[in-house]
Amino acid sequence: MARHSRPTLRHLLTACSLLLPIAAFAATPDASVAAKNGREEPHPLVIAHRGASGYVPEHTLASYALAILQGADYVEPDLVMTRDGELVARHDNELGLTTDVSQHPEFADRKRTQMVDGVELTGWFSEDFTLAELKTLRAIERIPTIRPGNARLDDSLEIPTLQEIIDLVKTLQLSERRRIGLYPETKHPTHFQQLGLAMEKPLVRVLHRNGYASRNAPVYIQSFEVENLKTLSRMTQLRLVQLFSSGQPYDQQVRGSKLTYAQMATAEGLKAISRYAAGVGPEKSYIIPRDANGNLAQPTDFVPNAHAAGLKVHPYTFRAENVFLPTNLRNGDSPAERGDIEADIQAFLDAGIDGLFIDQPDIAVKVRGQ
């Protein structure tokens, strides 16, 4: 796909723009396709990480559409808040890395420095812009040196709202004749709560309004924080997923708690998570760490312990380029060259995972089929 010509990509973008006007008419009340397709989910789930972000700039309608056409079961929008309380898809609330905001002189005075989750950041922030203002920006590739093909689409794609993503998904699941899910992540929920822009109620309101309300709905809501997942568990029956990073969840730091991700990853910690979540999303090394040479070591007991607690396991992030792969699975010396991601995926499938986040969904679909 990375070698596709610009006309081919333009055709995809045109198709995306044409889909939205008919989406409202295409949607079904329960956000699912015909009953004959059933509600059994594929195994393992292929979750398109920020869409097909290995081929098209992340968190754009083109990225989500391509992921679905490649066979992804779920698409993942990271969600941040605008000044006027709208949910939009960006990896972070800082906009400089993924939009052309720096090229807009009318927004030069919006650049500022602030603390986000305990880290000092300088840039432009979603909470300082209305949705109408954000719609004047265009997406750019976040890692252009690794994905120069994606950068060809810089400045051509809008920032989508959650509603626009839902409309696209509902339309494509009809044409694809299969169930397609949403896997939103609440980004920086404590930060937005402190600004008076708490995300939980708006997120649940949009999902419920679109027919995503029951535990059987094709939705997982994920977060690196704990308390906002517990809040969501009291507001909706939708399935929740606790993400894992290093150190402490930021909300636990704010609360003065000593709880760490390492403690949460123990058998007892996973049992505690099962009281408010249906699954866990660990960084890959929680399941198979790398040795001193950068190669995959032996699997840990994370997956069996999570399964014993009744939790699904959806690790992140699988990426095809050398720079992201174990040393022995790389192809040549270029960080951007594609390595043996198939072997990387297979190792984790053998470890018993239930799904995976991937930037190139078509590869995971192919490996699953084999």
Side-chain angles (χ1 to χ4, degrees):
M1 277 307 283
R3 296 186 179 90
H4 277 187
S5 66
R6 181 179 283 270
T8 300
L9 290 168
R10 281 177 177 160
H11 292 159
L12 173 65
L13 302 182
T14 301
C16 289
S17 65
L18 292 174
L19 285 169
L20 285 176
I22 65 170
F25 299 99
T28 51
D30 66 350
S32 65
V33 292
K36 66 180 182 181
N37 291 331
R39 292 187 178 274
E40 287 298 320
E41 292 191 319
H43 188 275
L45 288 181
V46 175
I47 305 156
H49 185 243
R50 310 176 195 172
S53 55
Y55 303 111
V56 179
E58 63 189 37
H59 293 313
T60 59
L61 291 183
S63 186
Y64 299 126
L66 180 57
I68 292 168
L69 295 175
Q70 289 184 338
D73 306 305
Y74 280 73
V75 294
E76 183 217 25
D78 294 334
L79 299 176
V80 299
M81 297 295 289
T82 67
R83 187 174 70 195
D84 48 349
E86 298 290 337
L87 289 158
V88 297
R90 287 293 87 192
H91 176 56
D92 278 301
N93 62 326
E94 200 290 299
L95 303 171
L97 280 178
T98 63
T99 77
D100 64 353
V101 64
S102 66
Q103 304 304 311
H104 286 252
E106 69 271 27
F107 297 136
D109 62 350
R110 305 280 178 96
K111 188 175 184 179
R112 64 187 179 94
T113 299
Q114 70 166 334
M115 300 295 290
V116 180
D117 293 1
V119 178
E120 185 176 88
L121 294 177
T122 298
W124 293 262
F125 299 93
S126 66
E127 60 264 34
D128 296 332
F129 292 76
T130 65
L131 176 60
E133 290 172 332
L134 286 182
K135 282 295 186 177
T136 69
L137 305 182
R138 293 296 179 265
I140 62 173
E141 172 55 39
R142 187 176 54 87
I143 46 175
T145 58
I146 302 299
R147 294 172 177 167
N150 290 17
R152 294 180 302 156
L153 291 172
D154 282 1
D155 307 322
S156 63
L157 303 168
E158 287 188 3
I159 297 174
T161 64
L162 175 58
Q163 184 60 58
E164 288 170 339
I165 298 165
I166 291 172
D167 292 342
L168 179 72
V169 165
K170 287 187 174 186
T171 301
L172 284 178
Q173 74 176 358
L174 290 177
S175 61
E176 290 287 289
R177 296 181 179 273
R178 62 186 179 89
R179 201 170 187 233
I180 299 161
L182 293 161
Y183 212 123
E185 178 185 343
T186 57
K187 302 292 292 193
H188 315 298
T190 293
H191 172 77
F192 284 114
Q193 185 178 42
Q194 292 170 338
L195 296 174
L197 291 169
M199 311 177 75
E200 293 81 9
K201 286 184 179 179
L203 174 58
V204 170
R205 183 166 58 247
V206 171
L207 291 171
H208 285 189
R209 185 177 68 222
N210 283 276
Y212 302 102
S214 74
R215 193 170 181 82
N216 291 324
V219 173
Y220 289 92
I221 303 174
Q222 54 178 333
S223 178
F224 281 103
E225 296 189 10
V226 176
E227 295 306 316
N228 81 306
L229 286 178
K230 291 182 177 180
T231 297
L232 285 164
S233 73
R234 296 187 290 269
M235 297 171 62
T236 182
Q237 296 181 43
L238 293 169
R239 292 168 294 180
L240 309 177
V241 171
Q242 177 67 63
L243 296 174
F244 286 72
S245 184
S246 58
Q248 272 191 291
Y250 179 65
D251 65 307
Q252 298 303 298
Q253 295 180 36
V254 171
R255 293 168 65 90
S257 165
K258 302 297 185 182
L259 182 67
T260 66
Y261 287 116
Q263 292 170 338
M264 295 163 65
T266 64
E268 287 303 313
L270 291 165
K271 288 179 183 177
I273 290 170
S274 70
R275 290 194 280 271
Y276 63 87
V280 285
E283 193 279 326
K284 291 167 62 182
S285 63
Y286 277 91
I287 296 172
I288 307 181
R290 297 186 186 182
D291 62 23
N293 296 316
N295 300 321
L296 292 179
Q298 292 300 307
T300 68
D301 58 3
F302 185 96
V303 171
N305 286 344
H307 285 167
L311 296 166
K312 299 290 187 182
V313 182
H314 301 159
Y316 69 90
T317 304
F318 291 80
R319 298 180 167 111
E321 295 88 356
N322 278 339
V323 66
F324 304 114
L325 288 169
T327 303
N328 64 325
L329 298 183
R330 296 173 184 172
N331 177 26
D333 297 325
S334 169
E337 184 66 35
R338 179 174 290 187
D340 191 359
I341 184 177
E342 292 85 355
D344 192 38
I345 293 170
Q346 191 59 55
F348 283 82
L349 295 183
D350 292 343
I353 63 173
D354 303 293
L356 68 154
F357 290 85
I358 185 166
D359 288 6
Q360 294 90 1
D362 58 323
I363 299 177
V365 171
K366 181 179 177 181
V367 172
R368 179 175 67 183
Q370 295 171 343

